[in-house]
Amino acid sequence: MTTIPNKNVAKIETAHKSAEQTPYKINEFFETIQGEGSFTGQPSIFIRLQGCPVGCSWCDTKHTWDIELSEQVNAKTMMTKKQETPQWANLTALQLLELVKKEGYQAKHIVITGGEPCMVDLTPLCDEFEQQGYSTQIETSGTFEIKTTKKCWVTVSPKINMRGGYKILDSAMQRANEIKHPIATEQHVDDLKMLLIQHQINNTAIYIQPISQKKRATELAIATCIANNWRLSVQVHKYLGIE
Ligand code: SF4
């Protein structure tokens, strides 16, 4: 029989307790296909957290910006809403794992997005899912310190000079496994190049994503990728008409 040293038992118990006790404000929880970046095509369970102060003018999830206590609902209401709303449910990792079972989700990859998920410590959430055999990924603007597990795949989509006035953190740029940048104009490309120089990023995979499905943004993204040997991310889910 294998004996687990006492200090490791204590560590496991602490992690489990933490997962039981740390609630997250969940705006959406659903299974789909990841449509962006390195994991494009990967069946995934998306966890969308409520709350973001970054203030991107073109944000397509503005309903996640504010955390209003009056918008708190139970898990069932959150899971059955038919449109985008600022409603959120307070759920722990263990409660989310129960929901996975209840909904019959099959995907083994978890994507934590927002909102801005890094406003909170994501370690207990990722840790619990990883212990159950899932891979984890977070998508962040790079404006908050990233607190997650070592194994977690970090996608930084740097939001430069947005209305909220937040700066891109060097720690976020260094932690990134991939950098995914939405562009519509040459200025966005120049902003990214400047950021990569400032933070001395040389070996991280760079994905350029057209800010919309419009022809002009797509053509600029293609030309930018070819000119810089970067990769194209086209939000496959939007072309497929899925969430
Ligand atoms: S960081 Fe993301 S959620 Fe926040 S405003 Fe920008 S696009 Fe929207």
Side-chain angles (χ1 to χ4, degrees):
M1 193 174 83
T2 310
T3 308
I4 302 172
N6 274 347
K7 65 176 183 193
N8 290 352
V9 171
K11 259 192 216 164
I12 292 165
E13 281 176 353
T14 308
H16 203 65
K17 209 170 166 194
S18 187
E20 273 174 13
Q21 291 175 349
T22 309
Y24 294 89
K25 294 178 172 54
I26 314 293
N27 177 279
E28 276 186 290
F29 186 68
F30 59 96
E31 186 177 49
T32 186
I33 298 287
Q34 167 63 291
E36 304 180 2
S38 299
F39 282 93
T40 296
Q42 176 84 38
S44 304
I45 298 169
F46 272 68
I47 302 174
R48 188 182 302 289
L49 299 190
Q50 188 73 21
C52 181
V54 178
C56 309
S57 56
W58 39 265
C59 176
D60 59 3
T61 54
K62 286 183 177 160
H63 60 287
T64 66
W65 285 10
D66 299 323
I67 300 172
E68 301 287 353
L69 288 179
S70 58
E71 297 289 358
Q72 183 174 357
V73 294
N74 60 28
K76 189 176 172 195
T77 304
M78 184 272 293
M79 290 299 289
T80 53
K81 59 185 179 181
K82 298 277 180 265
Q83 55 190 18
E84 293 175 345
T85 75
Q87 291 175 322
W88 52 273
N90 222 19
L91 299 172
T92 63
L94 294 183
Q95 288 171 317
L96 288 170
L97 277 161
E98 280 167 23
L99 264 184
V100 169
K101 266 196 216 150
K102 191 170 163 221
E103 297 292 325
Y105 290 164
Q106 300 295 313
K108 297 302 276 180
H109 184 66
I110 303 295
V111 181
I112 304 168
T113 186
E116 172 43 73
C118 290
M119 290 169 70
V120 295
D121 184 354
L122 299 169
T123 314
L125 182 55
C126 291
D127 190 47
E128 189 61 31
F129 273 93
E130 285 168 10
Q131 281 187 46
Q132 301 303 320
Y134 293 83
S135 54
T136 61
Q137 175 182 7
I138 61 172
E139 299 185 338
T140 173
S141 63
T143 55
F144 285 81
E145 192 187 336
I146 297 169
K147 294 181 202 139
T148 187
T149 57
K150 279 193 186 147
K151 277 200 234 167
C152 179
W153 181 271
V154 174
T155 304
V156 172
S157 182
K159 302 302 187 304
I160 305 161
N161 297 330
M162 295 300 160
R163 268 183 309 193
Y166 287 83
K167 297 267 177 268
I168 308 297
L169 301 183
D170 185 60
S171 60
M173 293 297 283
Q174 303 307 329
R175 175 63 180 82
N177 296 101
E178 64 180 6
I179 292 167
K180 188 181 67 186
H181 195 56
I183 64 163
T185 65
E186 294 284 356
Q187 183 62 50
H188 295 145
V189 180
D190 292 344
D191 289 345
L192 176 62
K193 285 181 178 170
M194 186 58 74
L195 194 73
L196 296 177
I197 292 167
Q198 276 170 358
H199 296 279
Q200 300 180 350
I201 303 295
N202 300 310
N203 298 316
T204 310
I206 310 290
Y207 283 86
I208 295 297
Q209 188 163 289
I211 224 161
S212 69
Q213 283 68 58
K214 287 185 184 149
K215 198 173 171 213
R216 189 166 165 268
T218 305
E219 283 177 352
L220 177 62
I222 292 169
T224 303
C225 285
I226 291 172
N228 296 281
N229 204 23
W230 291 337
R231 301 176 193 180
L232 185 68
S233 173
V234 289
Q235 295 189 293
V236 166
H237 54 293
K238 294 201 175 167
Y239 288 92
L240 296 176
I242 58 176
E243 197 170 10

